[in-house]
Amino acid sequence: MHTFHNLFVPIFLLVFTKTFAQTGCGCDACSFFITNGFDGKYRVRIDSADQNSLADPAQNLVAVHLKFNHTQVGDLEFSLVSPAGQVVRLVSPSGANTTTLFSNWDIRFLPCGEIAQPDPGHFANWGDNFDWGTGGNFTGKYHPADGCLENFNLGPVVGDWVLKIKDNGNSGNWNGFLIGFHLEFSQPAGISCTPNPPHPAPGDDCSTAPIFENLDGYSGSTAGFQPNPNILGCGTLENDSWLGFVAASNSVTFVSKSGNCQVGNGIQLAVFPDCAAPPIACSPGQPSGAGLTNVLTANNLTIGNTYFLMVDGFSGDVCDFTLEVVPDKFGDLAKPAIPQGPASVCNGGSAVYSIPKTFGSNGYFWKINGAGVFSNQTQNLETYGNLPEPVQVLWGIGGGEVCVAARNLEDTTTFSSLQISTPQSVAVNLPAKYLCQSELPWLPPFPHVPILESGIYSATVSAANGCDSMFSISVFVASEPADVFFPPVILINNQCFSLPTGQQICDAGSQIFVQNNASGCPTNYHFDITKIHFSPIQFACAPVSVPFLVEGPAGADLVFQFPGADSVVFSGNNPEVFYTHAGNFGFFVTSGAVTIPYPNQFKIGDAPDAEFSIFQNNQTFTFSDASTGDVGQFFWDFGDGTTASGANQVHDFAVPGSYPVTFICSNPCGSDTIIKTVEWISATGETGHFSPKITVYPNPIFDGNFTVLIENSVEKEVKIEIFNTVGQLVFIKNFNCADPENCKILIEKNDLPPGVFDLKIQTPSWRANRKIICLK
């Protein structure tokens, strides 16, 4: 019967795997032999997942697919363990001793919240003691024997999912195979996995040993490892290999079996508390011990500490080996301490950070949040080994966090973080020091050589956190008495100057301030104060003149600039400024190499120049404002008894005829009027006649002579009149235009005094007004 089983199982597996195909994360042909009395594990390591949180309602384990056979399924038990440690028993042993030869199970386990579809004659929850019989093929959907898949709605997707397999071996030599194992998730995007990943190789010495949370079921070899003669073992070490673990209890037992031994002596075991101490437990092995069970128990362990299991070929042997561990689960990986190092680093400085050893870790993952980089110019850094390596960080403006997580082959902790601030270098300007000759040499309150004369002295003092302090001090050394002359002080209008004593000086003139130092050495400080008087203008209409009065000893040395002024006249040191146009004006004063701006002192307005354009469509005329200047109000008189206000107008004339259209635009500085005659002839369809475009230049006038340009006029006879601001006629003359389309009239009035004048232009069919300014 036993021989039949050994022949049956491989042939059965070959036929069974031909039809197995599955999507999800797992293996399609696991080929995992379940021997009688087997107690082990099959792992699927999920390496990545776009949605990694099982606590998210959108991500769940929705099915576990198992495909297996067994010659006596009543001995068989399957339990699933998640990366977070939750355990659900899928298949429970029934204890039935009936054979299930040639029976196959291709079944799914569903969440308890879904409806199961068991095979006929079986219950929804696995665990009934039903005789499955021989030659059956079962494809139902079941609920787990103990627990629900909903229990896994906590923790990550990524990590090791372990299928614990146990054959209770109640009677006979009954074996089986795990052929398929898949995990199906509601959000499968980005999920990749490694079925039954190999165990990491042992370390060649204690310092390179991988750290495990679980060594139960580990398989390895002592081949290829170098001897460590300096290690105090239980005997001679010749090809020792090393595995680390974190104690979860005060006692742990290792049961090791050796195989494929080159000599036949088997292996020896020892447990070490660290890499520099002698072993605390030994199982030295024996001659011809290959294939024998080697049992080692280590007691008095400290929970949470890391220990190291040494596996060595006894007496020079080289063997493969497997481990069973009681208890099988070691301690969880501890979270590392907060990084140790300076929390305040000067901007641009670097600092070294370290952490003490973290129990259960064989590596560390460092990262930076914020304005910092590791010495290799990256934001992330991995270090390896049981003893954490320090890292160096260069910090920039704003600082950030330096963070570290511990890791081993089965787990990675959350990060521990240290907040880093990055202050700027500090400049310390000490109060000036006044000395007499008798007080020299003098030492300042920072590292410096003795001071022997006046000057500015400085030094940089480095702080412990790399942020320097830069000290400076002005030293004045005087004879008895001494005179110190300061640059000229310029004040305008009501400004005042504060002496070192706090006294306010508001008048122009030379001032002397006397101060005695601690030794009674007097120093005379001389201040020359120059004052500029003028009247700021909140608003005035051009033309405007602004007189200045300059008082004080430095008045003659001042240089004035008046951007935008039309002219400046100086009387001694005192300028008078003339503005004949609108604008917002200021001035500059230069004293030596220093120029002081005084912007926006004079706001000046001007009366507008009226102008408008005309567009005709039959009897409908569109009048559009084309005036220049800051216009506030508009008035229209259309010559037919109607008026209007506003910049632009559309007007219909009721009957044909000629109409003088008067346009007046105004602001606080005055008004301007222009009259244009329009003619509407309805029967013939001819367009109306309008007053032409008029240009006066130059304006302002500097010598009384100017030109009036009249374009597109229909009249040859033109009368020119000039009135002053009180309405007196100062010029009148009639002209005859040879070319009405481009009439250019030169006005020569050399005796025209400075001021603002009203220019009136008149023909038989139209009139117009313009304002002119004369400057001399």
PDB file of all heavy atoms in Angstrom, residues 65-93:
ATOM      1  N   HIS A  65      -7.942  30.475  -3.516  1.00  0.00           N
ATOM      2  CA  HIS A  65      -8.117  29.319  -4.405  1.00  0.00           C
ATOM      3  C   HIS A  65      -7.072  28.275  -4.047  1.00  0.00           C
ATOM      4  O   HIS A  65      -5.876  28.544  -4.090  1.00  0.00           O
ATOM      5  CB  HIS A  65      -7.968  29.774  -5.855  1.00  0.00           C
ATOM      6  CG  HIS A  65      -8.332  28.722  -6.853  1.00  0.00           C
ATOM      7  ND1 HIS A  65      -8.287  28.951  -8.204  1.00  0.00           N
ATOM      8  CD2 HIS A  65      -8.752  27.434  -6.725  1.00  0.00           C
ATOM      9  CE1 HIS A  65      -8.648  27.873  -8.853  1.00  0.00           C
ATOM     10  NE2 HIS A  65      -8.935  26.937  -7.971  1.00  0.00           N
ATOM     11  N   LEU A  66      -7.529  27.084  -3.699  1.00  0.00           N
ATOM     12  CA  LEU A  66      -6.633  25.965  -3.375  1.00  0.00           C
ATOM     13  C   LEU A  66      -6.905  24.819  -4.337  1.00  0.00           C
ATOM     14  O   LEU A  66      -8.066  24.487  -4.638  1.00  0.00           O
ATOM     15  CB  LEU A  66      -6.857  25.482  -1.942  1.00  0.00           C
ATOM     16  CG  LEU A  66      -6.364  26.361  -0.806  1.00  0.00           C
ATOM     17  CD1 LEU A  66      -6.656  25.704   0.531  1.00  0.00           C
ATOM     18  CD2 LEU A  66      -4.879  26.654  -0.942  1.00  0.00           C
ATOM     19  N   LYS A  67      -5.808  24.195  -4.761  1.00  0.00           N
ATOM     20  CA  LYS A  67      -5.924  22.994  -5.576  1.00  0.00           C
ATOM     21  C   LYS A  67      -4.941  21.981  -5.006  1.00  0.00           C
ATOM     22  O   LYS A  67      -3.739  22.262  -4.905  1.00  0.00           O
ATOM     23  CB  LYS A  67      -5.628  23.298  -7.037  1.00  0.00           C
ATOM     24  CG  LYS A  67      -6.180  22.256  -7.987  1.00  0.00           C
ATOM     25  CD  LYS A  67      -6.257  22.813  -9.399  1.00  0.00           C
ATOM     26  CE  LYS A  67      -7.067  21.893 -10.293  1.00  0.00           C
ATOM     27  NZ  LYS A  67      -7.230  22.436 -11.646  1.00  0.00           N
ATOM     28  N   PHE A  68      -5.458  20.831  -4.585  1.00  0.00           N
ATOM     29  CA  PHE A  68      -4.605  19.866  -3.897  1.00  0.00           C
ATOM     30  C   PHE A  68      -5.201  18.478  -4.045  1.00  0.00           C
ATOM     31  O   PHE A  68      -6.338  18.294  -4.500  1.00  0.00           O
ATOM     32  CB  PHE A  68      -4.461  20.240  -2.416  1.00  0.00           C
ATOM     33  CG  PHE A  68      -5.742  20.252  -1.645  1.00  0.00           C
ATOM     34  CD1 PHE A  68      -6.194  19.110  -0.973  1.00  0.00           C
ATOM     35  CD2 PHE A  68      -6.520  21.411  -1.573  1.00  0.00           C
ATOM     36  CE1 PHE A  68      -7.380  19.141  -0.252  1.00  0.00           C
ATOM     37  CE2 PHE A  68      -7.701  21.430  -0.860  1.00  0.00           C
ATOM     38  CZ  PHE A  68      -8.154  20.284  -0.199  1.00  0.00           C
ATOM     39  N   ASN A  69      -4.398  17.483  -3.632  1.00  0.00           N
ATOM     40  CA  ASN A  69      -4.900  16.134  -3.466  1.00  0.00           C
ATOM     41  C   ASN A  69      -4.289  15.549  -2.218  1.00  0.00           C
ATOM     42  O   ASN A  69      -3.274  16.037  -1.711  1.00  0.00           O
ATOM     43  CB  ASN A  69      -4.616  15.263  -4.699  1.00  0.00           C
ATOM     44  CG  ASN A  69      -3.127  15.075  -4.936  1.00  0.00           C
ATOM     45  OD1 ASN A  69      -2.412  14.556  -4.075  1.00  0.00           O
ATOM     46  ND2 ASN A  69      -2.653  15.487  -6.124  1.00  0.00           N
ATOM     47  N   HIS A  70      -4.917  14.537  -1.694  1.00  0.00           N
ATOM     48  CA  HIS A  70      -4.396  13.849  -0.510  1.00  0.00           C
ATOM     49  C   HIS A  70      -5.059  12.485  -0.430  1.00  0.00           C
ATOM     50  O   HIS A  70      -6.265  12.343  -0.709  1.00  0.00           O
ATOM     51  CB  HIS A  70      -4.675  14.658   0.763  1.00  0.00           C
ATOM     52  CG  HIS A  70      -3.784  14.278   1.904  1.00  0.00           C
ATOM     53  ND1 HIS A  70      -4.002  13.179   2.691  1.00  0.00           N
ATOM     54  CD2 HIS A  70      -2.659  14.865   2.377  1.00  0.00           C
ATOM     55  CE1 HIS A  70      -3.063  13.091   3.608  1.00  0.00           C
ATOM     56  NE2 HIS A  70      -2.215  14.117   3.440  1.00  0.00           N
ATOM     57  N   THR A  71      -4.265  11.496  -0.043  1.00  0.00           N
ATOM     58  CA  THR A  71      -4.802  10.128  -0.006  1.00  0.00           C
ATOM     59  C   THR A  71      -5.637   9.862   1.238  1.00  0.00           C
ATOM     60  O   THR A  71      -6.326   8.836   1.306  1.00  0.00           O
ATOM     61  CB  THR A  71      -3.639   9.125  -0.101  1.00  0.00           C
ATOM     62  OG1 THR A  71      -2.667   9.448   0.894  1.00  0.00           O
ATOM     63  CG2 THR A  71      -3.005   9.187  -1.491  1.00  0.00           C
ATOM     64  N   GLN A  72      -5.557  10.787   2.227  1.00  0.00           N
ATOM     65  CA  GLN A  72      -6.465  10.697   3.381  1.00  0.00           C
ATOM     66  C   GLN A  72      -6.680  12.108   3.897  1.00  0.00           C
ATOM     67  O   GLN A  72      -5.987  12.583   4.786  1.00  0.00           O
ATOM     68  CB  GLN A  72      -5.900   9.794   4.479  1.00  0.00           C
ATOM     69  CG  GLN A  72      -6.909   9.544   5.602  1.00  0.00           C
ATOM     70  CD  GLN A  72      -6.476   8.411   6.522  1.00  0.00           C
ATOM     71  OE1 GLN A  72      -6.312   7.289   6.079  1.00  0.00           O
ATOM     72  NE2 GLN A  72      -6.303   8.723   7.779  1.00  0.00           N
ATOM     73  N   VAL A  73      -7.647  12.833   3.282  1.00  0.00           N
ATOM     74  CA  VAL A  73      -7.820  14.251   3.533  1.00  0.00           C
ATOM     75  C   VAL A  73      -8.221  14.541   4.970  1.00  0.00           C
ATOM     76  O   VAL A  73      -8.086  15.672   5.445  1.00  0.00           O
ATOM     77  CB  VAL A  73      -8.842  14.834   2.532  1.00  0.00           C
ATOM     78  CG1 VAL A  73     -10.254  14.457   2.927  1.00  0.00           C
ATOM     79  CG2 VAL A  73      -8.708  16.351   2.430  1.00  0.00           C
ATOM     80  N   GLY A  74      -8.695  13.541   5.690  1.00  0.00           N
ATOM     81  CA  GLY A  74      -9.049  13.759   7.089  1.00  0.00           C
ATOM     82  C   GLY A  74      -7.869  14.120   7.961  1.00  0.00           C
ATOM     83  O   GLY A  74      -8.035  14.621   9.077  1.00  0.00           O
ATOM     84  N   ASP A  75      -6.627  13.884   7.469  1.00  0.00           N
ATOM     85  CA  ASP A  75      -5.421  14.264   8.207  1.00  0.00           C
ATOM     86  C   ASP A  75      -4.998  15.705   7.933  1.00  0.00           C
ATOM     87  O   ASP A  75      -4.090  16.221   8.590  1.00  0.00           O
ATOM     88  CB  ASP A  75      -4.245  13.348   7.819  1.00  0.00           C
ATOM     89  CG  ASP A  75      -4.428  11.926   8.312  1.00  0.00           C
ATOM     90  OD1 ASP A  75      -5.299  11.718   9.166  1.00  0.00           O
ATOM     91  OD2 ASP A  75      -3.689  11.046   7.831  1.00  0.00           O
ATOM     92  N   LEU A  76      -5.570  16.366   6.925  1.00  0.00           N
ATOM     93  CA  LEU A  76      -5.009  17.593   6.359  1.00  0.00           C
ATOM     94  C   LEU A  76      -5.599  18.847   7.003  1.00  0.00           C
ATOM     95  O   LEU A  76      -6.790  18.913   7.312  1.00  0.00           O
ATOM     96  CB  LEU A  76      -5.269  17.639   4.851  1.00  0.00           C
ATOM     97  CG  LEU A  76      -4.527  18.708   4.054  1.00  0.00           C
ATOM     98  CD1 LEU A  76      -3.022  18.531   4.174  1.00  0.00           C
ATOM     99  CD2 LEU A  76      -4.953  18.639   2.590  1.00  0.00           C
ATOM    100  N   GLU A  77      -4.715  19.862   7.187  1.00  0.00           N
ATOM    101  CA  GLU A  77      -5.117  21.162   7.745  1.00  0.00           C
ATOM    102  C   GLU A  77      -4.401  22.268   6.981  1.00  0.00           C
ATOM    103  O   GLU A  77      -3.195  22.203   6.762  1.00  0.00           O
ATOM    104  CB  GLU A  77      -4.767  21.241   9.229  1.00  0.00           C
ATOM    105  CG  GLU A  77      -5.141  22.562   9.883  1.00  0.00           C
ATOM    106  CD  GLU A  77      -4.795  22.607  11.367  1.00  0.00           C
ATOM    107  OE1 GLU A  77      -4.326  21.572  11.900  1.00  0.00           O
ATOM    108  OE2 GLU A  77      -4.994  23.667  11.978  1.00  0.00           O
ATOM    109  N   PHE A  78      -5.182  23.300   6.521  1.00  0.00           N
ATOM    110  CA  PHE A  78      -4.614  24.491   5.880  1.00  0.00           C
ATOM    111  C   PHE A  78      -5.036  25.716   6.695  1.00  0.00           C
ATOM    112  O   PHE A  78      -6.226  25.900   6.986  1.00  0.00           O
ATOM    113  CB  PHE A  78      -5.145  24.677   4.448  1.00  0.00           C
ATOM    114  CG  PHE A  78      -4.591  23.727   3.450  1.00  0.00           C
ATOM    115  CD1 PHE A  78      -5.426  22.903   2.713  1.00  0.00           C
ATOM    116  CD2 PHE A  78      -3.231  23.656   3.222  1.00  0.00           C
ATOM    117  CE1 PHE A  78      -4.922  22.035   1.768  1.00  0.00           C
ATOM    118  CE2 PHE A  78      -2.709  22.784   2.274  1.00  0.00           C
ATOM    119  CZ  PHE A  78      -3.548  21.967   1.550  1.00  0.00           C
ATOM    120  N   SER A  79      -4.061  26.591   7.032  1.00  0.00           N
ATOM    121  CA  SER A  79      -4.351  27.884   7.665  1.00  0.00           C
ATOM    122  C   SER A  79      -3.615  28.971   6.895  1.00  0.00           C
ATOM    123  O   SER A  79      -2.468  28.778   6.479  1.00  0.00           O
ATOM    124  CB  SER A  79      -3.914  27.902   9.134  1.00  0.00           C
ATOM    125  OG  SER A  79      -4.679  26.989   9.888  1.00  0.00           O
ATOM    126  N   LEU A  80      -4.279  30.125   6.707  1.00  0.00           N
ATOM    127  CA  LEU A  80      -3.681  31.250   5.978  1.00  0.00           C
ATOM    128  C   LEU A  80      -3.323  32.360   6.963  1.00  0.00           C
ATOM    129  O   LEU A  80      -4.146  32.747   7.799  1.00  0.00           O
ATOM    130  CB  LEU A  80      -4.655  31.794   4.931  1.00  0.00           C
ATOM    131  CG  LEU A  80      -4.150  32.960   4.073  1.00  0.00           C
ATOM    132  CD1 LEU A  80      -2.942  32.541   3.255  1.00  0.00           C
ATOM    133  CD2 LEU A  80      -5.264  33.467   3.151  1.00  0.00           C
ATOM    134  N   VAL A  81      -2.074  32.866   6.871  1.00  0.00           N
ATOM    135  CA  VAL A  81      -1.574  33.934   7.738  1.00  0.00           C
ATOM    136  C   VAL A  81      -1.236  35.136   6.854  1.00  0.00           C
ATOM    137  O   VAL A  81      -0.504  35.006   5.871  1.00  0.00           O
ATOM    138  CB  VAL A  81      -0.330  33.495   8.538  1.00  0.00           C
ATOM    139  CG1 VAL A  81       0.105  34.598   9.503  1.00  0.00           C
ATOM    140  CG2 VAL A  81      -0.607  32.197   9.287  1.00  0.00           C
ATOM    141  N   SER A  82      -1.776  36.339   7.203  1.00  0.00           N
ATOM    142  CA  SER A  82      -1.535  37.553   6.419  1.00  0.00           C
ATOM    143  C   SER A  82      -0.228  38.219   6.856  1.00  0.00           C
ATOM    144  O   SER A  82       0.329  37.887   7.906  1.00  0.00           O
ATOM    145  CB  SER A  82      -2.689  38.534   6.605  1.00  0.00           C
ATOM    146  OG  SER A  82      -2.637  39.107   7.908  1.00  0.00           O
ATOM    147  N   PRO A  83       0.281  39.205   6.082  1.00  0.00           N
ATOM    148  CA  PRO A  83       1.479  39.943   6.510  1.00  0.00           C
ATOM    149  C   PRO A  83       1.306  40.648   7.847  1.00  0.00           C
ATOM    150  O   PRO A  83       2.286  40.881   8.551  1.00  0.00           O
ATOM    151  CB  PRO A  83       1.702  40.947   5.374  1.00  0.00           C
ATOM    152  CG  PRO A  83       1.058  40.330   4.189  1.00  0.00           C
ATOM    153  CD  PRO A  83      -0.127  39.587   4.717  1.00  0.00           C
ATOM    154  N   ALA A  84       0.048  40.981   8.219  1.00  0.00           N
ATOM    155  CA  ALA A  84      -0.185  41.637   9.501  1.00  0.00           C
ATOM    156  C   ALA A  84      -0.346  40.644  10.645  1.00  0.00           C
ATOM    157  O   ALA A  84      -0.508  41.050  11.792  1.00  0.00           O
ATOM    158  CB  ALA A  84      -1.429  42.516   9.415  1.00  0.00           C
ATOM    159  N   GLY A  85      -0.322  39.320  10.362  1.00  0.00           N
ATOM    160  CA  GLY A  85      -0.373  38.319  11.408  1.00  0.00           C
ATOM    161  C   GLY A  85      -1.747  37.732  11.663  1.00  0.00           C
ATOM    162  O   GLY A  85      -1.879  36.863  12.529  1.00  0.00           O
ATOM    163  N   GLN A  86      -2.812  38.170  10.934  1.00  0.00           N
ATOM    164  CA  GLN A  86      -4.120  37.564  11.133  1.00  0.00           C
ATOM    165  C   GLN A  86      -4.113  36.131  10.581  1.00  0.00           C
ATOM    166  O   GLN A  86      -3.510  35.867   9.523  1.00  0.00           O
ATOM    167  CB  GLN A  86      -5.221  38.367  10.440  1.00  0.00           C
ATOM    168  CG  GLN A  86      -5.525  39.693  11.102  1.00  0.00           C
ATOM    169  CD  GLN A  86      -4.713  40.828  10.531  1.00  0.00           C
ATOM    170  OE1 GLN A  86      -3.818  40.598   9.730  1.00  0.00           O
ATOM    171  NE2 GLN A  86      -5.004  42.040  10.945  1.00  0.00           N
ATOM    172  N   VAL A  87      -4.787  35.223  11.285  1.00  0.00           N
ATOM    173  CA  VAL A  87      -4.806  33.808  10.916  1.00  0.00           C
ATOM    174  C   VAL A  87      -6.250  33.364  10.719  1.00  0.00           C
ATOM    175  O   VAL A  87      -7.123  33.643  11.552  1.00  0.00           O
ATOM    176  CB  VAL A  87      -4.134  32.935  11.995  1.00  0.00           C
ATOM    177  CG1 VAL A  87      -4.134  31.461  11.567  1.00  0.00           C
ATOM    178  CG2 VAL A  87      -2.720  33.407  12.270  1.00  0.00           C
ATOM    179  N   VAL A  88      -6.524  32.691   9.607  1.00  0.00           N
ATOM    180  CA  VAL A  88      -7.821  32.076   9.336  1.00  0.00           C
ATOM    181  C   VAL A  88      -7.559  30.627   8.916  1.00  0.00           C
ATOM    182  O   VAL A  88      -6.764  30.374   7.996  1.00  0.00           O
ATOM    183  CB  VAL A  88      -8.587  32.834   8.234  1.00  0.00           C
ATOM    184  CG1 VAL A  88      -9.854  32.079   7.843  1.00  0.00           C
ATOM    185  CG2 VAL A  88      -8.937  34.241   8.689  1.00  0.00           C
ATOM    186  N   ARG A  89      -8.226  29.680   9.602  1.00  0.00           N
ATOM    187  CA  ARG A  89      -8.073  28.269   9.236  1.00  0.00           C
ATOM    188  C   ARG A  89      -9.076  27.958   8.141  1.00  0.00           C
ATOM    189  O   ARG A  89     -10.292  28.041   8.337  1.00  0.00           O
ATOM    190  CB  ARG A  89      -8.276  27.367  10.445  1.00  0.00           C
ATOM    191  CG  ARG A  89      -7.970  25.906  10.117  1.00  0.00           C
ATOM    192  CD  ARG A  89      -7.659  25.061  11.321  1.00  0.00           C
ATOM    193  NE  ARG A  89      -8.814  24.912  12.202  1.00  0.00           N
ATOM    194  CZ  ARG A  89      -8.905  23.990  13.157  1.00  0.00           C
ATOM    195  NH1 ARG A  89      -7.891  23.160  13.366  1.00  0.00           N
ATOM    196  NH2 ARG A  89      -9.975  23.924  13.923  1.00  0.00           N
ATOM    197  N   LEU A  90      -8.547  27.574   6.976  1.00  0.00           N
ATOM    198  CA  LEU A  90      -9.389  27.277   5.827  1.00  0.00           C
ATOM    199  C   LEU A  90      -9.910  25.844   5.889  1.00  0.00           C
ATOM    200  O   LEU A  90     -11.106  25.596   5.743  1.00  0.00           O
ATOM    201  CB  LEU A  90      -8.603  27.501   4.536  1.00  0.00           C
ATOM    202  CG  LEU A  90      -7.985  28.894   4.347  1.00  0.00           C
ATOM    203  CD1 LEU A  90      -7.091  28.899   3.124  1.00  0.00           C
ATOM    204  CD2 LEU A  90      -9.060  29.953   4.220  1.00  0.00           C
ATOM    205  N   VAL A  91      -8.995  24.906   6.079  1.00  0.00           N
ATOM    206  CA  VAL A  91      -9.330  23.477   6.098  1.00  0.00           C
ATOM    207  C   VAL A  91      -8.967  22.933   7.466  1.00  0.00           C
ATOM    208  O   VAL A  91      -7.828  23.096   7.929  1.00  0.00           O
ATOM    209  CB  VAL A  91      -8.576  22.714   4.994  1.00  0.00           C
ATOM    210  CG1 VAL A  91      -8.802  21.201   5.123  1.00  0.00           C
ATOM    211  CG2 VAL A  91      -9.012  23.212   3.624  1.00  0.00           C
ATOM    212  N   SER A  92      -9.911  22.278   8.131  1.00  0.00           N
ATOM    213  CA  SER A  92      -9.629  21.669   9.431  1.00  0.00           C
ATOM    214  C   SER A  92      -9.602  20.152   9.272  1.00  0.00           C
ATOM    215  O   SER A  92     -10.359  19.588   8.472  1.00  0.00           O
ATOM    216  CB  SER A  92     -10.692  22.075  10.448  1.00  0.00           C
ATOM    217  OG  SER A  92     -11.966  21.627  10.029  1.00  0.00           O
ATOM    218  N   PRO A  93      -8.736  19.474  10.028  1.00  0.00           N
ATOM    219  CA  PRO A  93      -8.719  17.998   9.941  1.00  0.00           C
ATOM    220  C   PRO A  93      -9.972  17.427  10.597  1.00  0.00           C
ATOM    221  O   PRO A  93     -10.380  17.841  11.674  1.00  0.00           O
ATOM    222  CB  PRO A  93      -7.451  17.624  10.696  1.00  0.00           C
ATOM    223  CG  PRO A  93      -7.250  18.744  11.658  1.00  0.00           C
ATOM    224  CD  PRO A  93      -7.758  19.985  10.992  1.00  0.00           C
TER     225      PRO A  93
END
